[in-house]
Amino acid sequence: MAHVAVEWLLEDGTTAARRVGKCRMAHIPLLEELALIAAIAVGITVIFSRVRLPAVAGLLFAGALLGPYGLSLISDTHEIETLAEVGVVFLLFTIGLEFSLDRMRLIARQFAVGGALQVGLTIVATALVAMAAGASLKAGIFFGFVLSLSSTAIVLRALSEQHELDAPHGRIILATLIFQDLCVVPMVLLVPMLGGADVSLAGILMALGRAALVVLVVVGVARLVVPRVLHWVEGSKSQEVFLLAVLGICIGTAWLTSQVGLSLALGAFLGGVVVAGTEHGHRAMGDVRPLRDAFVSIFFVSLGMLFDVQALLEEPWLVLGLFLGFVVAKGTIAAIVALAMRFPPRIAWLTGIGLGQFGEFGFVLVRLGQTQEIVTPQLSRALLAAGILSMFVTPALMRLAPSIRADELFAPLARFMGLRSVDGPSAVPETVLRDHVVIVGHGLAGRLVAHALEGCGVRYVHVELDAANVRAALRSGAPIVYGDATNEATLLHAHLSSARALVVVMSDFAGARRVLATARRIAPKVPSIVRTKYVGERKMLLMDGATDVVAEELEGGIEVLARLLRTLGVPGNVIGARIQDVRSDLPSRSVPRSTLAETRELDELKIESVEVAEGSFAVARTLAELEIGARIGALVVAIRRSESRIDAPQGGEIVRTGDVVYLIGARDAVLAACRLLTAPRSEKEPA
């Protein structure tokens, strides 16, 4: 290009090279399409957000509107699909960056058992239904492959937005999605064999062995090379060079795996896992996330472009049946798997909603199946139309699911399977279930609360729905009820109505709100303390009936401040004063002041106020003369006079007309004092 520019400059002595640059810039491929996608997608997602629909739904709708089956504003979608594939590569790379062996150990059981059962049962059930409808065994297995995969991008984004990744159903869904992503490799290898005349078991095993060998080689080499490369690159002190190196690892591992017949996404995932194992994992995530979000947005738009309205109009019942298969049948299978793993019905319900949709890699399988003539073009169009519809409704369903009591539909099935959610594997002595504290959650926070209560001699009982946590509690001898705290029967089993307080330390914000709603129905007078992550959630929890809310975001910030001041050598009393200043401007305090009703030893005392009318016996007399405390036994704690208030008035204070006197004491004493202050002068005058 530099040589051509020099020749033009020598010909006319002008800046023709600059004109050449402008000409070429005007013909940059995809520039017009990307500008159109950005404008339409932003506008639609903003409109969708006003009606509380998720951004993913807006991106899918924008794609359907722009695509060849909509307004045909973008007729050639091949280049857009190429960018979308880059988005999938970045997505799987970042998933790998969040994937660690420590986190895998926490969800190992859900990954190995739950993932295998969900994929296996879905394939078997789909194959049986397809064969009953007249399809061949090979076609049935292929349809099972397509139906068993869920949308990693949509589901993980929804769980993250709702702060439910660490909730029990979030862990099951995450483990299953990872298992599904790993299953894509053997599925892609098996589909061509299903399309051929013969299916060789030896060939399948050889292909799977080759895939496993390639994975091990790529991971082994990368673990040896990548840490050294990143350490060397970091020495350049250049943000741009480090980002380029991370992109090189992401794209390079994806390209290497594609050269041996494996998917680009698998290679990107392995690259992310390798980088996550280094000290540069968090920095790499921060650098790549903006690119991922941009390309993944294009990916969702490209998915929407594949939605064929004509297929829906031509075969409405077929599309509807396939849609129900993705959402209802597949979701039910996922829920049954959760029940089989001894999770309560509510967790099963949320798991089924989270996994009941079409998956991104399903598009790859459908196209591959069409190439191998396993599926007809007409059925392929119907599959894609139903799949995109299921992806469109998933974010909205996941947002609504926690507030829907449809989990009760799975309770009979749980009893049929011999699973117990309320009675549980624990037996709590009746002596514990009175004047106790109900702690919802047996994680670290729940155990800390229990330990402190034990030191104070206060009885307590945990409510937990994770079977592993329940078994650990039973081994340690802690009193625990196995069940779902959003269910009335579980809280009744924990005797919440006779409890002194309710403490909710679960990680699921939506679940905590439901616990409060249930507790308010069955024990409205029991005070409740709730832990949440963000200060912004505090107001909603208070409106739901919480007595007090502790926000991790707030308390963590205050703890950081205290440690910082201590590190800087600030004296302890000054640190306390600064923290007190901070708390005075915040909606939450470390130890909130209790009301009389919340103080158990004083909960029988009555507080009353009475206005002294003109002509009353008490007017112009002092409190000492009235002998409210000495003779009646009530205490005058304050007097409001006009716009001022007199706190702790002395015996020489004279009562005036219009005074509002505030009394405290036993019920009979307060009532007697009220009668004295309101009695007419004539009644008290001596005869």
Side-chain angles (χ1 to χ4, degrees):
M1 180 181 291
H3 180 68
V4 172
V6 170
E7 288 183 351
W8 276 63
L9 185 59
L10 291 175
E11 284 181 7
D12 57 9
T14 66
T15 56
R18 201 173 291 173
R19 293 200 301 271
V20 171
K22 290 183 179 180
C23 180
R24 294 190 177 185
M25 285 293 289
H27 293 86
I28 293 179
L30 294 180
L31 190 61
E32 181 180 349
E33 288 84 352
L34 289 176
L36 191 60
I37 287 174
I40 299 298
V42 168
I44 291 178
T45 51
V46 169
I47 294 173
F48 273 40
S49 67
R50 298 295 176 87
V51 293
R52 302 183 63 82
L53 287 176
V56 173
L59 295 172
L60 291 170
F61 186 82
L65 192 65
L66 291 167
Y69 306 111
L71 300 178
S72 297
L73 298 177
I74 298 179
S75 56
D76 186 5
T77 62
H78 178 70
E79 289 82 3
I80 302 297
E81 291 173 2
T82 301
L83 292 179
E85 291 180 6
V86 176
V88 175
V89 168
F90 281 137
L91 174 66
L92 267 295
F93 181 72
T94 54
I95 290 175
L97 285 174
E98 296 175 344
F99 186 89
S100 64
L101 292 178
D102 291 337
R103 191 168 187 178
M104 186 60 187
R105 291 190 189 100
L106 294 176
I107 59 175
R109 178 170 170 267
Q110 291 93 326
F111 173 82
V113 179
L117 283 176
Q118 187 272 329
V119 173
L121 289 177
T122 304
I123 293 174
V124 171
T126 305
L128 292 175
V129 172
M131 292 173 63
S136 64
L137 174 61
K138 296 179 181 179
I141 295 175
F142 169 77
F143 291 135
F145 286 172
V146 174
L147 201 71
S148 64
L149 301 178
S150 303
S151 174
T152 301
I154 292 176
V155 175
L156 289 185
R157 175 172 291 191
L159 287 174
S160 178
E161 290 176 351
Q162 296 172 203
H163 314 303
E164 294 178 351
L165 274 172
D166 292 326
H169 64 278
R171 294 198 296 268
I172 299 174
I173 293 172
L174 175 62
T176 305
L177 289 173
I178 294 174
F179 188 90
Q180 291 176 2
D181 289 339
L182 296 179
C183 286
V184 171
V185 180
M187 288 178 182
V188 171
L189 295 173
L190 287 169
V191 168
M193 299 179 184
L194 293 175
D198 297 317
V199 178
S200 171
L201 180 60
I204 294 175
L205 295 177
M206 185 177 297
L208 293 176
R210 183 183 65 178
L213 180 62
V214 169
V215 170
L216 292 175
V217 170
V218 170
V219 172
V221 172
R223 285 180 66 89
L224 294 175
V225 175
V226 169
R228 293 178 172 84
V229 170
L230 290 179
H231 182 74
W232 176 67
V233 168
E234 191 181 32
S236 68
K237 306 298 182 181
S238 171
Q239 179 74 17
E240 293 80 4
V241 175
F242 183 84
L243 175 59
L244 191 61
V246 172
L247 293 179
I249 295 170
C250 170
I251 299 172
T253 53
W255 176 79
L256 285 174
T257 55
S258 68
Q259 294 303 299
V260 293
L262 302 179
S263 68
L264 290 168
L266 175 65
F269 176 77
L270 295 176
V273 171
V274 171
V275 174
T278 70
E279 60 184 2
H280 308 286
H282 293 293
R283 180 182 175 184
M285 171 64 83
D287 290 348
V288 174
R289 182 179 282 119
L291 288 173
R292 178 202 66 179
D293 292 341
F295 280 100
V296 168
S297 296
I298 296 175
F299 168 71
F300 288 128
V301 172
S302 70
L303 289 185
M305 291 180 182
L306 298 176
F307 181 66
D308 189 350
V309 180
Q310 193 64 30
L312 178 60
L313 297 177
E314 292 176 358
E315 298 285 350
W317 295 111
L318 177 60
V319 173
L320 177 61
L322 292 171
F323 171 79
L324 294 177
F326 284 116
V327 177
V328 179
K330 179 181 176 181
T332 301
I333 292 175
I336 292 174
V337 170
L339 289 175
M341 297 177 67
R342 304 192 68 81
F343 283 97
R346 177 174 178 269
I347 300 304
W349 157 250
L350 296 177
T351 302
I353 291 294
L355 294 173
Q357 76 286 134
F358 192 54
E360 294 88 2
F361 293 110
F363 293 95
V364 178
L365 293 180
V366 170
R367 290 179 179 177
L368 188 58
Q370 190 173 345
T371 302
Q372 299 296 324
E373 298 182 351
I374 301 175
V375 60
T376 63
Q378 181 182 10
L379 185 54
S380 175
R381 291 170 60 206
L383 266 174
L384 294 180
I388 294 173
L389 281 176
S390 69
M391 298 172 84
F392 182 85
V393 302
T394 291
L397 289 177
M398 291 184 67
R399 182 175 294 179
L400 293 173
S403 60
I404 300 175
R405 298 296 312 202
D407 53 306
E408 296 176 356
L409 297 174
F410 295 101
L413 181 60
R415 289 192 293 269
F416 175 77
M417 296 172 68
L419 306 178
R420 295 176 294 176
S421 61
V422 175
D423 296 334
S426 59
V428 182
E430 289 293 328
T431 55
V432 175
L433 299 177
R434 184 165 297 280
D435 293 335
H436 60 297
V437 175
V438 177
I439 306 172
V440 178
H442 189 259
L444 176 60
R447 293 195 298 272
L448 289 175
V449 172
H451 181 71
L453 292 176
E454 199 169 329
C456 296
V458 178
R459 293 186 292 268
Y460 65 89
V461 61
H462 289 282
V463 176
E464 177 61 62
L465 49 71
D466 190 320
N469 287 343
V470 172
R471 286 191 290 269
L474 291 175
R475 286 194 296 269
S476 65
I480 191 166
V481 172
Y482 177 32
D484 182 5
T486 66
N487 189 296
E488 288 189 12
T490 304
L491 293 183
L492 289 173
H493 190 65
H495 290 217
L496 178 63
S497 58
S498 61
R500 296 176 63 176
L502 169 68
V503 178
V504 183
V505 289
M506 57 195 300
S507 302
D508 182 359
F509 171 65
R513 297 189 67 186
R514 289 192 62 186
V515 170
L516 287 174
T518 305
R520 189 167 56 181
R521 287 196 302 271
I522 65 175
K525 295 184 179 180
V526 175
S528 55
I529 314 296
V530 185
R531 181 198 69 175
T532 189
K533 288 187 177 181
Y534 304 106
V535 176
E537 299 169 345
R538 183 176 185 273
K539 183 177 180 181
M540 286 185 286
L541 292 169
L542 290 173
M543 293 175 61
D544 290 335
T547 306
D548 200 6
V549 178
V550 178
E552 295 178 8
E553 181 182 33
L554 172 61
E555 298 304 325
I558 291 177
E559 181 65 19
V560 168
L561 172 62
R563 291 173 183 258
L564 172 62
L565 295 178
R566 192 177 299 116
T567 301
L568 297 177
V570 178
N573 62 326
V574 178
I575 293 176
R578 296 291 77 77
I579 291 177
Q580 187 62 34
D581 291 342
V582 171
R583 287 193 179 278
S584 64
D585 297 328
L586 295 173
S588 176
R589 301 179 185 273
S590 58
V591 183
R593 291 187 293 269
S594 300
T595 63
L596 288 177
E598 295 170 337
T599 305
R600 187 171 182 81
E601 291 77 8
L602 304 176
D603 61 358
E604 294 181 357
L605 295 182
K606 182 178 178 60
I607 300 177
E608 190 58 86
S609 60
V610 59
E611 183 176 357
V612 180
E614 185 178 359
S616 298
F617 170 77
V619 174
R621 284 180 167 80
T622 65
L623 294 177
E625 291 174 340
L626 294 174
E627 297 182 314
I628 294 177
R631 185 166 57 86
I632 299 178
L635 177 65
V636 177
V637 293
I639 297 176
R640 181 164 59 83
R641 182 172 296 158
S642 298
E643 300 299 326
S644 62
R645 189 184 70 221
I646 304 170
D647 294 330
Q650 301 301 310
E653 187 67 41
I654 299 175
V655 178
R656 301 178 184 177
T657 301
D659 282 354
V660 177
V661 181
Y662 293 89
L663 302 160
I664 183 173
R667 177 183 178 84
D668 293 340
V670 168
L671 292 177
C674 290
R675 288 194 297 268
L676 173 64
L677 291 169
T678 57
R681 184 183 302 272
S682 59
E683 290 185 7
K684 295 295 181 181
E685 293 294 346

